[in-house]
Amino acid sequence: MNERGGAPLLSMRQISKRFGAVEALSGVDFEVRAHEVVALVGDNGAGKSTLARMVSGVLQPDAGIIEIEGQQVSISSPSVAHEMRIATVFQDLALADNLDVTANLFLGHELRENGMLQDGRMEQITRDVLAKLASRIPSVRTPLSALSAGQRQSVAIARTLIGDPRLVVLDEPTAALSAVQTAEVLTHIERLRDLGLGVILISHNMTDVRAVSDRIEVLRHGRNNGSFDASRTSFEEILAAITGATHVEPGLRSVG
Amino acid sequence: MTTTVAGVGVGVRDLVTRNVRQSGIFVAFIAIVALFSVLNSDFLSPGNLTNIVLQYSYVLILATGMLMVIVLGQIDLSVGSVVALTGAVAAEVVIKGHAPWYVGVLSALVVGFLVGCWQGFWVASVGIPGFIVTLAGMLLFRGLTYIVLNNISLSPFNGTYYGIANGFLNGLFGGYGIDTFTVVIFAIAVVGYAVSQWRTRRGRIAYQQVVESMPLFVAKIVVVAAVVMWFGSQLARSRGLPIVLILLAVLIIAYSIVMQKSVFGRHIYAIGGNLNAAQLSGVKVRKVTFWTFVNMGVLASVAGVVFSARTNGAQPGAGNMFELDAIAACFIGGASTTGGVGRVTGAMVGGLIMAVLANGMQLMGVGQAVQQVVKGIVLLLAVAFDIWNRRRAEATR
Ligand SMILES: Nc1ncnc2c1ncn2[C@@H]1O[C@H](COP(=O)(O)OP(=O)(O)O)[C@@H](O)[C@H]1O
Ligand SMILES: [Mg+2]
C-alpha cells in the first residue's frame, strides 16, 4: 500500500532525444508504479523503442530526468540497468544464435565460481523457468539457431525471470508468437504484476494491450498523446490518439 | 506436441551435420596419415613422429590463441612478427646479456604481454578492426625485430633454453629400449579421455540428447586409446617424451577449459556470435576483447620462445608466415569465418593436418612451391566444405 502512495517505481520527466535531424522524443513524461502494467502504444516510429532503450540503459536521454523510487539516476549501461533490477526483452530479442538456451538465458549474468561457469545450476534454473512459462523447448542445451521464432521469443521472455527484477520492459514481446503462446505471455505478464513488479509493455496488438494493462500511454511523433485507464477506455479512443485524430495537450492529460 | 517433435528432429539433424563436419576433419586427417605412411615407410617411424611434434608445436601454440581471436570475430596477422620479436629479445638477454635462461623466457613473455596490451588497446578502446591493427603490428614488430637484432642473427642459446624445444623427459622409471615414463603418461591421458567422454555421454543421456549406441561408443574409445598408446610407445621408442609436447598438452587442456567452462570463454563466443546481443546483455565487450588480444600476445611469445629454442638462435626473418599457418589451422579445424564458432581441439586437428601434410611432403622430397600450393588448396576446400555444409543444414531446417 505504501508503494502505491509513495514515489513511483520509475518516473521519467521531460525526456528528449534526437538522432541527428530526427527528433525521436521531445518532452515525454512517463511513469510506472509497482504492481502496474503500463502499455506504451503508438504508430511505427513514434519513439516507443527509444524510450524503452533508455530504461534499459542502451540509450541516454539528451534532456530530462529519470528517477527510480524517487531517486534520480543515470542508467548509463545495460549492466547498470541490471544492477538496478531492470530486465528487458528487446524488439530484436538480442540472442546469440551460436549459444544454447541456458547460455542465452544467463548471458552477461552467468552464475560463476572463481570465474568458472556453474553449468549444472544454470541448467536447473533454466528448466524451472521454462516450465513456469510453459514453453515448448526441446532441451536447455539446444542451440538457439535450432529454435523457431516463437521458441526464441520464449527464451527472450524467460530472461526476465533471471536475477529478481523489479521492473520489466517488453518491446513487442508477442510479435512472433502464435495465439496460444501469446496467451501464455500475457499470463506471464499478469503473474509479474501479481509478484509486485512494474511492467512496461510495448505492443501493436490492442487486444493484448487491453487484456493485461492497467494504463495505456500513447506516443505520437515522439510526444505524449494521451494517457488512458485501460478498463474504462474504448478501442476507438485509443486508436484516435494513436492516429492523431485526437490531440491531447500535455496540461490536460488525465493521469489514471 | 508437434513443436517438441520438430525441435528434437532439428536437434538430431543438427547433431548429424555437426558430426559430419567434425568427423570430416578426422577422416581427412586419417586419410592423409594413411596416404603418407603408404608412400613413405619412414613416415610413421618413432623418429619422424617425434619430429612432427617438435617441428610444428609453435604453430599449434599460436593456433590456440588464434582460435580465441577468431571466435571473437577478429583476426591477428601479427603473430609471426611477435614470434620473431620475442625470440630476439630472449636472445639479446640470454646470448648477449649472459642472463640465465629463465630471465630470457620471462623477458619474452613480458614483451608478448606488452604487444598484446598495445594491440588490445587499439582494437578494444579505439575500435579499430583487429585486421588493421594487427596488419600494422605485423610491420611494426617485424621492424622492431630488425632493430633489436641489429639486422643480424644471434646464436647459439645452448643449455637449458635450448632444451625447452629440444629436450625430452625420459628414463624416470627406466625401461628396456622403451621409456616407461612416457608410456605411463600416455596411459594416464587415455584414462582421462575415457572418463571425460563417459561423463559427457551420461550428461547427454540425462538431457535426452542423442548419443551413439554403446558398442559404437566403446569402439570409439578403444580406437582412440589404441592410436594414442601406439603414438606414445613410438615416442617412447625414440627419445621419450618431448618437453614441448607436455607444454602443448597443458595449453590445449587449459584453453579448452577456458573456452568451454569459463565465463571469459562464454563471453568470447557471445561476442563473436552476436555482438549487439552481448552488449545489450551487459557483457563487457571491450574488456573481453582486450584480454583476448593480450592472451594472443602472450601465447605468441611462448611460441617465440619455443621457436628460438628449437632453432637455437634468433633471426630477423623468424616466424615469417606463421600467422597464416595458425589462421589456416583454425579454419580447417571448423572455426567460422564470421566468428562465434570453433573449438580449441578442432584448431589442433587443423594444425596437425597442416603439419602432417608439410612433413609428409618434405619426406617425399616435394619442393616448397608445391607444398604451398597443396596447403592453399586444402584450406580452400576445408572452408568451402564448411560453407556447403552449413547451407545444407539451413536448407533442411
Ligand atoms: N539509432 C538510431 N539512429 C537514428 N534514428 C533512430 C535510431 N533509433 C530510432 N531512430 C528514429 O527515431 C524514431 C523513433 O524510433 P523508435 O523508437 O524505434 O520507434 P517505435 O519503436 O515507436 O516504432 C524513428 O524515426 C526512428 O527512425
Ligand atoms: Mg519499436
Side-chain angles (χ1 to χ4, degrees):
Chain A
M1 295 306 105
N2 220 350
E3 278 173 5
R4 285 183 181 245
L9 183 52
L10 170 77
S11 161
M12 303 173 84
R13 288 201 304 273
Q14 292 301 304
I15 300 289
S16 297
K17 180 78 187 175
R18 301 184 71 89
F19 297 106
V22 180
E23 197 165 36
L25 293 174
S26 62
V28 169
D29 291 339
F30 189 73
E31 223 178 73
V32 183
R33 294 179 171 267
H35 283 285
E36 187 183 35
V37 179
V38 181
L40 190 56
V41 300
D43 215 345
N44 267 338
K48 308 181 294 290
S49 293
T50 304
L51 196 68
R53 281 153 70 194
M54 283 174 188
V55 181
S56 329
V58 180
L59 291 175
Q60 276 67 49
D62 296 339
I65 293 170
I66 302 180
E67 286 178 355
I68 301 265
E69 288 178 347
Q71 298 272 325
Q72 190 174 336
V73 293
S74 148
I75 313 177
S76 52
S77 76
S79 322
V80 170
H82 184 80
E83 276 159 30
M84 292 174 178
R85 293 166 55 207
I86 298 169
T88 308
V89 177
F90 294 98
Q91 192 164 3
D92 61 1
L93 301 186
L95 300 168
D97 269 1
N98 58 330
L99 297 180
D100 68 14
V101 172
T102 306
N104 268 286
L105 230 62
F106 284 89
L107 187 55
H109 315 290
E110 291 82 2
L111 300 183
R112 57 186 81 190
E113 202 170 21
N114 306 320
M116 302 311 273
L117 298 163
Q118 294 188 299
D119 277 320
R121 268 186 62 204
M122 289 196 281
E123 287 178 1
Q124 189 61 51
I125 295 172
T126 302
R127 239 170 294 137
D128 294 349
V129 164
L130 292 177
K132 250 193 232 170
L133 281 176
S135 59
R136 296 182 180 82
I137 285 169
S139 150
V140 296
R141 289 190 184 180
T142 315
L144 259 274
S145 56
L147 296 185
S148 71
Q151 290 170 326
R152 295 162 61 86
Q153 204 134 28
S154 306
V155 173
I157 289 165
R159 295 183 64 175
T160 61
L161 289 175
I162 305 290
D164 186 30
R166 58 183 169 183
L167 177 62
V168 174
V169 184
L170 304 151
D171 194 348
E172 314 256 0
T174 56
L177 298 187
S178 69
V180 176
Q181 287 169 320
T182 301
E184 271 157 16
V185 172
L186 296 183
T187 313
H188 171 57
I189 292 173
E190 279 169 350
R191 208 179 296 134
L192 292 179
R193 170 179 44 206
D194 294 345
L195 287 171
L197 280 73
V199 180
I200 301 173
L201 170 65
I202 298 177
S203 178
H204 267 121
N205 188 323
M206 282 309 131
T207 321
D208 294 357
V209 163
R210 283 167 41 97
V212 288
S213 52
D214 302 299
R215 184 152 54 81
I216 300 173
E217 292 284 341
V218 180
L219 282 185
R220 179 167 163 73
H221 295 328
R223 291 166 199 274
N224 290 104
N225 199 32
S227 172
F228 302 94
D229 184 331
S231 57
R232 280 180 302 190
T233 315
S234 73
F235 197 77
E236 287 72 25
E237 274 177 278
I238 300 167
L239 264 187
I242 290 174
T243 57
T246 54
H247 181 65
V248 183
E249 288 299 323
L252 302 177
R253 287 171 67 236
S254 57
V255 176
Chain B
M1 227 31 237
T2 47
T3 333
T4 314
V5 173
V8 171
V10 168
V12 173
R13 226 177 284 135
D14 208 53
L15 194 77
V16 170
T17 48
R18 214 178 317 148
N19 278 1
V20 166
R21 177 72 185 104
Q22 281 215 330
S23 43
I25 311 171
F26 278 102
V27 169
F29 179 58
I30 290 164
I32 293 166
V33 170
L35 179 72
F36 282 122
S37 57
V38 170
L39 290 176
N40 191 310
S41 55
D42 273 350
F43 183 70
L44 290 181
S45 69
N48 191 48
L49 286 178
T50 306
N51 237 344
I52 295 179
V53 171
L54 296 183
Q55 239 177 330
Y56 293 95
S57 51
Y58 31 87
V59 171
L60 295 182
I61 294 170
L62 289 177
T64 336
M66 188 65 76
L67 178 94
M68 296 167 75
V69 173
I70 287 175
V71 169
L72 188 72
Q74 298 279 1
I75 197 92
D76 191 336
L77 299 174
S78 70
V79 294
S81 298
V82 180
V83 164
L85 178 60
T86 51
V89 168
E92 282 293 320
V93 171
V94 175
I95 299 174
K96 268 205 188 154
H98 304 290
W101 68 276
Y102 52 86
V103 178
V105 171
L106 212 66
S107 349
L109 292 178
V110 168
V111 170
F113 177 82
L114 294 176
V115 163
C117 290
W118 164 262
Q119 303 200 119
F121 165 77
W122 289 104
V123 178
S125 302
V126 184
I128 301 176
F131 179 80
I132 303 296
V133 170
T134 59
L135 183 61
M138 182 179 175
L139 301 168
L140 176 60
F141 302 125
R142 180 65 64 188
L144 285 180
T145 308
Y146 276 90
I147 293 171
V148 167
L149 287 176
N150 235 330
N151 292 337
I152 52 160
S153 297
L154 265 186
S155 68
F157 278 104
N158 291 337
T160 313
Y161 192 98
Y162 176 75
I164 294 170
N166 301 280
F168 295 83
L169 283 184
N170 57 14
L172 254 64
F173 303 148
Y176 299 93
I178 177 158
D179 180 41
T180 318
F181 175 72
T182 305
V183 174
V184 167
I185 292 290
F186 271 82
I188 292 173
V190 164
V191 171
Y193 170 76
V195 168
S196 82
Q197 287 293 308
W198 175 248
R199 284 174 51 174
T200 308
R201 181 187 164 84
R202 274 207 326 212
R204 293 187 71 88
I205 291 172
Y207 287 98
Q208 282 111 43
Q209 286 179 312
V210 187
V211 291
E212 59 266 75
S213 65
M214 197 60 189
L216 198 66
F217 175 76
V218 173
K220 188 180 85 178
I221 300 274
V222 169
V223 168
V224 170
V227 169
V228 170
M229 284 317 292
W230 173 82
F231 176 66
S233 67
Q234 289 294 80
L235 289 184
R237 245 183 266 275
S238 179
R239 287 176 281 178
L241 197 56
I243 291 171
V244 175
L245 188 61
I246 301 174
L247 176 67
L248 204 54
V250 169
L251 287 179
I252 292 171
I253 292 171
Y255 280 101
S256 294
I257 292 173
V258 166
M259 286 304 270
Q260 303 310 319
K261 304 268 181 228
S262 82
V263 176
F264 182 65
R266 175 66 51 83
H267 286 178
I268 291 180
Y269 280 104
I271 293 170
N274 188 341
L275 176 63
N276 186 41
Q279 243 151 5
L280 292 179
S281 304
V283 171
K284 304 219 163 30
V285 174
R286 283 183 186 187
K287 202 170 140 192
V288 173
T289 304
F290 178 80
W291 286 108
T292 306
F293 273 92
V294 171
N295 178 66
M296 180 76 256
V298 171
L299 280 175
S301 69
V302 173
V305 168
V306 171
F307 184 72
S308 57
R310 163 105 186 126
T311 54
N312 204 14
Q315 308 82 32
N320 203 11
M321 309 255 277
F322 278 15
E323 58 280 341
L324 301 185
D325 278 346
I327 292 167
C330 295
F331 289 136
I332 292 173
S336 152
T337 48
T338 50
V341 177
R343 278 175 178 258
V344 172
T345 45
M348 293 305 106
V349 176
L352 282 176
I353 287 182
M354 303 277 285
V356 166
L357 271 177
N359 175 276
M361 288 190 286
Q362 245 166 41
L363 281 187
M364 292 173 56
V366 176
Q368 279 291 328
V370 176
Q371 284 193 31
Q372 302 248 359
V373 171
V374 171
K375 277 190 188 175
I377 289 175
V378 167
L379 171 62
L380 204 57
L381 289 182
V383 176
F385 178 67
D386 201 26
I387 289 175
W388 170 76
N389 208 26
R390 211 172 315 144
R391 286 224 185 103
R392 211 187 38 160
E394 266 163 29
T396 49
R397 191 150 98 204

